[in-house]
Structures are given as C-alpha cells and as structure tokens.
Amino acid sequence: MSPRAGAALLAAALALAAPGLQALSTDREQPIHIEADSVEIDDVQGFSTYRGNVVYTQGTLRLEADTVHVFHTPERNISRLEALGSPVRFRQRLDGHDEDLRAQALRVEYFADPERMVLERQAHIWRLNTEFSGDFISYDPARDVVQASRGETGEGRVQIVIQPQRDQDGGAAGAGSDAP
C-alpha cells in the first residue's frame, strides 16, 4: 500500500471514530467503510476533505454528503467534522431503542468536545416519536437537548411534530370509551 493510500485510510478511520450522538454503543467497534470520488489529506494542518457522493458507514451510522471536511488534533483525535450536501443525510441507531435518529440539512457540523451536532439550512431531525425542523437546529446528546430557531435570516418558523404514544394494542395511549 502506498503512503498516500495509507494516509487516506487513516484519515477516513479518524473521521468515523468520533463518538456518536447517543449512538448504539457497539458502532465504534465496527469496521469503517468510506466511499468518495476524491480525497485530499493535509496531515500537517490536521485537515482532510472528501468530495463527490461521500458515503461513510460504521455499524448503524450512515452519513451521505457531497463534501465532508474533517479536522483533527495533533494527537489525531477528531475535533470537528463539517458535511455539505443537498441535503446531507445522517442516520444512526440509538442505544435502547428500535428506532434510528435521522437528520438532514444542507450543512451539518459535528463537534467532538463537548459533543454536539449543528444542522443549518433546511434542517430536520427525527428522534423517537418527535420531529423538529427549522433553519438552525443544535442537538446536544449528553443532555438530550434540541434547540431550533429560524436562523440568521429571521424568516420561516420552527416546526415540531409530536406523535401520540401508542399502547400495546396499537391505539393511542390514554384513548378509551370514557374520553369526553
């Protein structure tokens, strides 16, 4: 394997090894797969860029984007990841749930410390029985907090849809014959 190919594989591994948004805890133990039309790596600056139909997966995590920029520390730990697309799509299984966290936006930024994900422009998150949309969404998995706003333009509105809880028979919880 050439030094350049080895560096590309190492950079891809760094990009995907970041802990994930209350992710399925076994995801980090899974092999990393990445596809892109091209990659540019600058180890001196701690930066790599993947372009063209970028798809990376690790366990249940899947990210699809047009371009992904990865920033890492001198110790080779991911500090930030920026994905651009039309839209960027993200999906990952959450620990203790049978449902995936799904997100999409034109720009998605992941910060490692403290961990959080920021979605900008046409942002949307589907999390358990709730969905959030707006021009700007910030998700803090450690505190399980979602913040959404109209964004810098001040146009548009935040939308939240909360699905009713279902009981074991498939009906809405709390619904019954004694309901008014």
Coordinates of all heavy atoms in Angstrom, one line a residue, residues 125-176:
I125 N -34.7 17.0 12.1 CA -34.3 15.9 12.9 C -35.5 15.1 13.2 O -36.6 15.6 13.6 CB -33.6 16.3 14.2 CG1 -32.2 16.9 14.0 CG2 -33.5 15.1 15.2 CD1 -31.5 17.3 15.2
W126 N -35.4 13.7 13.1 CA -36.4 12.8 13.5 C -35.8 12.0 14.6 O -34.8 11.3 14.4 CB -36.9 11.9 12.4 CG -37.5 12.6 11.2 CD1 -38.8 12.7 11.0 CD2 -36.8 13.1 10.1 NE1 -39.0 13.4 9.8 CE2 -37.8 13.6 9.2 CE3 -35.5 13.3 9.7 CZ2 -37.5 14.3 8.0 CZ3 -35.2 13.9 8.5 CH2 -36.2 14.4 7.7
R127 N -36.4 12.1 15.8 CA -35.8 11.5 17.0 C -37.0 10.8 17.8 O -37.8 11.5 18.3 CB -35.1 12.5 17.9 CG -34.3 11.9 19.0 CD -33.6 13.1 19.7 NE -33.9 13.0 21.1 CZ -35.0 13.5 21.8 NH1 -35.9 14.2 21.1 NH2 -35.1 13.4 23.0
L128 N -37.0 9.5 17.9 CA -38.0 8.8 18.5 C -39.4 9.2 17.9 O -39.5 9.2 16.7 CB -38.0 8.9 20.1 CG -36.6 8.5 20.6 CD1 -36.5 8.8 22.1 CD2 -36.3 7.1 20.3
N129 N -40.4 9.6 18.7 CA -41.7 10.0 18.1 C -41.8 11.5 17.8 O -42.9 12.0 17.7 CB -42.8 9.6 19.1 CG -42.9 8.1 19.2 OD1 -42.7 7.4 18.2 ND2 -43.3 7.6 20.4
T130 N -40.7 12.2 17.7 CA -40.8 13.6 17.5 C -39.9 14.0 16.4 O -38.9 13.5 16.1 CB -40.3 14.3 18.8 OG1 -41.0 13.8 20.0 CG2 -40.5 15.8 18.7
E131 N -40.4 15.1 15.6 CA -39.6 15.6 14.6 C -39.5 17.1 14.8 O -40.4 17.8 15.2 CB -40.0 15.2 13.2 CG -41.4 15.7 12.8 CD -41.8 15.2 11.4 OE1 -41.5 15.9 10.4 OE2 -42.4 14.1 11.4
F132 N -38.3 17.7 14.4 CA -38.0 19.1 14.6 C -37.6 19.6 13.2 O -36.8 18.9 12.6 CB -36.9 19.3 15.6 CG -37.1 18.8 16.9 CD1 -36.8 17.4 17.2 CD2 -37.7 19.5 17.9 CE1 -37.0 16.9 18.5 CE2 -37.9 19.0 19.2 CZ -37.5 17.7 19.5
S133 N -38.0 20.8 12.8 CA -37.5 21.4 11.6 C -37.4 22.9 11.8 O -38.1 23.5 12.6 CB -38.4 21.1 10.4 OG -39.7 21.6 10.5
G134 N -36.4 23.5 11.1 CA -36.1 24.9 11.2 C -34.9 25.2 10.4 O -34.3 24.3 9.7
D135 N -34.5 26.4 10.3 CA -33.3 26.8 9.6 C -32.1 26.5 10.3 O -31.0 26.3 9.7 CB -33.4 28.3 9.3 CG -32.6 28.6 8.0 OD1 -32.6 27.9 7.0 OD2 -31.9 29.7 8.0
F136 N -32.1 26.3 11.7 CA -31.0 26.0 12.5 C -31.4 25.1 13.6 O -32.4 25.4 14.4 CB -30.4 27.3 13.1 CG -29.3 27.1 14.1 CD1 -28.0 27.1 13.6 CD2 -29.5 27.0 15.4 CE1 -26.9 26.9 14.5 CE2 -28.5 26.7 16.3 CZ -27.2 26.7 15.9
I137 N -30.7 24.0 13.8 CA -31.0 23.1 14.9 C -29.7 22.6 15.5 O -28.8 22.3 14.8 CB -31.8 21.8 14.4 CG1 -33.1 22.2 13.8 CG2 -32.0 20.8 15.6 CD1 -33.8 21.0 13.2
S138 N -29.6 22.7 16.9 CA -28.5 22.2 17.6 C -28.9 21.1 18.5 O -30.0 21.2 19.2 CB -27.9 23.4 18.5 OG -26.8 22.9 19.3
Y139 N -28.2 20.0 18.5 CA -28.6 18.8 19.2 C -27.4 18.4 20.2 O -26.3 18.2 19.7 CB -28.9 17.6 18.3 CG -29.2 16.3 19.0 CD1 -30.2 16.3 20.0 CD2 -28.5 15.2 18.8 CE1 -30.6 15.1 20.6 CE2 -28.8 14.0 19.4 CZ -29.9 14.0 20.4 OH -30.2 12.8 21.0
D140 N -27.7 18.4 21.5 CA -26.7 18.0 22.5 C -27.1 16.7 23.0 O -28.1 16.6 23.8 CB -26.8 19.1 23.6 CG -25.8 18.8 24.8 OD1 -25.4 17.6 24.9 OD2 -25.6 19.7 25.6
P141 N -26.4 15.6 22.6 CA -26.9 14.3 23.0 C -26.6 14.0 24.5 O -27.4 13.2 25.1 CB -26.0 13.3 22.1 CG -24.8 14.1 21.8 CD -25.3 15.6 21.7
A142 N -25.6 14.5 25.1 CA -25.3 14.3 26.5 C -26.5 14.7 27.4 O -26.8 14.1 28.4 CB -24.0 14.9 26.9
R143 N -27.1 15.9 27.1 CA -28.2 16.4 27.8 C -29.5 16.1 27.2 O -30.6 16.4 27.7 CB -28.0 17.9 28.0 CG -26.8 18.3 28.8 CD -26.7 19.8 29.0 NE -26.9 20.5 27.8 CZ -27.5 21.7 27.8 NH1 -27.8 22.3 28.9 NH2 -27.7 22.4 26.6
D144 N -29.5 15.4 26.0 CA -30.7 15.1 25.2 C -31.5 16.4 25.0 O -32.7 16.4 25.3 CB -31.5 14.0 25.9 CG -32.5 13.4 24.9 OD1 -32.3 13.5 23.7 OD2 -33.5 12.8 25.4
V145 N -30.9 17.5 24.5 CA -31.5 18.8 24.3 C -31.4 19.1 22.8 O -30.4 19.1 22.2 CB -30.8 19.9 25.1 CG1 -31.3 21.2 24.8 CG2 -31.0 19.6 26.6
V146 N -32.6 19.5 22.3 CA -32.7 20.0 20.9 C -33.1 21.5 21.0 O -34.0 21.8 21.7 CB -33.7 19.2 20.1 CG1 -33.9 19.8 18.7 CG2 -33.3 17.8 20.0
Q147 N -32.3 22.4 20.3 CA -32.7 23.8 20.2 C -32.9 24.1 18.7 O -32.0 23.7 17.9 CB -31.6 24.7 20.7 CG -31.4 24.5 22.2 CD -30.2 25.3 22.7 OE1 -29.2 25.4 22.1 NE2 -30.4 26.0 23.9
A148 N -34.0 24.7 18.3 CA -34.2 25.0 17.0 C -34.6 26.5 16.9 O -35.2 27.1 17.8 CB -35.4 24.2 16.4
S149 N -34.2 27.1 15.7 CA -34.6 28.5 15.5 C -34.7 28.8 14.0 O -34.4 28.0 13.2 CB -33.6 29.5 16.1 OG -32.3 29.4 15.5
R150 N -35.1 30.0 13.7 CA -35.3 30.5 12.3 C -34.0 30.7 11.6 O -34.0 30.7 10.4 CB -36.2 31.7 12.3 CG -37.5 31.6 12.8 CD -38.3 32.8 12.7 NE -37.8 33.9 13.6 CZ -38.4 34.9 13.9 NH1 -39.6 35.2 13.5 NH2 -37.8 35.8 14.7
G151 N -32.9 30.8 12.3 CA -31.7 31.0 11.7 C -31.4 32.5 11.5 O -32.1 33.4 12.0
E152 N -30.3 32.8 10.8 CA -29.8 34.2 10.7 C -30.8 35.1 9.9 O -30.8 36.3 10.1 CB -28.4 34.2 10.0 CG -27.4 33.5 10.9 CD -26.0 33.5 10.3 OE1 -25.8 34.1 9.2 OE2 -25.1 32.9 10.8
T153 N -31.5 34.5 8.9 CA -32.3 35.3 8.1 C -33.6 35.8 8.8 O -34.1 36.8 8.4 CB -32.8 34.5 6.9 OG1 -33.7 33.5 7.3 CG2 -31.7 34.0 6.0
G154 N -34.0 35.2 9.9 CA -35.2 35.6 10.6 C -36.4 35.2 10.0 O -37.5 35.5 10.4
E155 N -36.3 34.5 8.8 CA -37.5 34.1 8.1 C -37.9 32.7 8.4 O -37.0 31.9 8.9 CB -37.3 34.2 6.6 CG -37.1 35.6 6.1 CD -36.8 35.7 4.6 OE1 -37.2 34.8 3.9 OE2 -36.2 36.7 4.2
G156 N -39.1 32.3 8.2 CA -39.6 30.9 8.5 C -39.9 30.8 10.0 O -39.8 31.7 10.8
R157 N -40.3 29.6 10.3 CA -40.7 29.3 11.7 C -40.2 27.9 12.0 O -39.9 27.0 11.1 CB -42.2 29.3 11.8 CG -42.7 30.7 11.6 CD -44.2 30.9 11.7 NE -44.9 30.3 12.9 CZ -45.0 30.9 14.0 NH1 -44.6 32.1 14.2 NH2 -45.7 30.3 15.0
V158 N -40.0 27.6 13.3 CA -39.7 26.3 13.8 C -40.9 25.4 13.8 O -42.0 25.9 14.2 CB -39.1 26.4 15.2 CG1 -38.8 25.0 15.8 CG2 -37.8 27.2 15.2
Q159 N -40.8 24.2 13.4 CA -41.9 23.3 13.5 C -41.6 22.1 14.3 O -40.4 21.5 14.1 CB -42.4 22.9 12.1 CG -42.9 24.0 11.2 CD -43.3 23.6 9.9 OE1 -43.4 22.4 9.6 NE2 -43.6 24.5 9.0
I160 N -42.5 21.6 15.1 CA -42.3 20.4 15.9 C -43.5 19.6 15.8 O -44.7 20.1 15.9 CB -42.1 20.8 17.4 CG1 -40.9 21.6 17.5 CG2 -41.9 19.5 18.2 CD1 -40.8 22.3 18.9
V161 N -43.3 18.3 15.5 CA -44.5 17.3 15.4 C -44.2 16.2 16.4 O -43.2 15.6 16.4 CB -44.5 16.7 14.0 CG1 -45.7 15.7 13.9 CG2 -44.7 17.8 12.9
I162 N -45.2 16.1 17.3 CA -45.1 15.0 18.4 C -46.2 14.0 18.1 O -47.4 14.3 18.2 CB -45.2 15.7 19.8 CG1 -44.2 16.8 20.0 CG2 -45.2 14.6 20.9 CD1 -44.4 17.6 21.2
Q163 N -45.7 12.8 17.8 CA -46.7 11.7 17.5 C -47.3 11.2 18.9 O -46.6 11.2 19.9 CB -46.0 10.6 16.8 CG -45.4 11.0 15.5 CD -46.5 11.3 14.5 OE1 -47.7 10.9 14.5 NE2 -46.2 12.2 13.5
P164 N -48.5 10.8 18.9 CA -49.1 10.3 20.1 C -48.4 8.9 20.4 O -48.0 8.2 19.6 CB -50.6 10.0 19.7 CG -50.7 10.0 18.3 CD -49.5 10.8 17.7
Q165 N -48.3 8.7 21.7 CA -47.8 7.4 22.2 C -48.8 6.3 21.9 O -50.0 6.5 22.0 CB -47.6 7.5 23.7 CG -46.5 8.5 24.1 CD -45.1 8.0 23.7 OE1 -44.8 6.8 23.6 NE2 -44.3 9.0 23.3
R166 N -48.3 5.2 21.5 CA -49.2 4.0 21.2 C -49.2 3.0 22.3 O -48.2 2.8 22.9 CB -48.7 3.3 19.9 CG -48.7 4.2 18.7 CD -50.2 4.5 18.3 NE -50.2 5.5 17.2 CZ -51.3 6.0 16.7 NH1 -52.4 5.7 17.3 NH2 -51.2 6.9 15.7
D167 N -50.4 2.5 22.6 CA -50.4 1.4 23.7 C -50.1 0.1 23.0 O -49.8 0.0 21.8 CB -51.8 1.4 24.4 CG -53.0 1.1 23.5 OD1 -52.7 0.6 22.3 OD2 -54.1 1.3 23.8
Q168 N -50.1 -1.0 23.8 CA -49.8 -2.3 23.3 C -50.7 -2.8 22.2 O -50.3 -3.6 21.4 CB -49.7 -3.3 24.4 CG -48.6 -2.9 25.4 CD -48.6 -3.9 26.6 OE1 -49.6 -4.7 26.8 NE2 -47.6 -3.8 27.5
D169 N -51.9 -2.3 22.1 CA -52.9 -2.7 21.1 C -52.8 -1.9 19.9 O -53.6 -2.1 18.9 CB -54.3 -2.7 21.7 CG -54.5 -3.6 22.9 OD1 -53.9 -4.7 22.9 OD2 -55.3 -3.2 23.7
G170 N -51.9 -0.9 19.8 CA -51.7 -0.1 18.6 C -52.5 1.2 18.6 O -52.4 2.0 17.7
G171 N -53.4 1.4 19.6 CA -54.2 2.6 19.7 C -53.5 3.7 20.4 O -52.4 3.4 21.1
A172 N -53.9 4.9 20.4 CA -53.3 6.0 21.1 C -53.4 5.8 22.6 O -54.5 5.4 23.1 CB -54.0 7.3 20.7
A173 N -52.4 5.9 23.3 CA -52.4 5.7 24.7 C -53.3 6.8 25.4 O -53.3 7.9 25.0 CB -51.0 5.9 25.3
G174 N -54.1 6.3 26.3 CA -55.0 7.2 27.0 C -56.4 7.3 26.3 O -57.3 7.9 26.9
A175 N -56.5 6.8 25.1 CA -57.8 6.9 24.4 C -58.6 5.7 25.0 O -58.2 4.6 25.1 CB -57.6 6.7 22.9
G176 N -59.9 6.0 25.2 CA -60.8 5.0 25.7 C -62.2 5.4 25.6 O -62.5 6.5 25.2

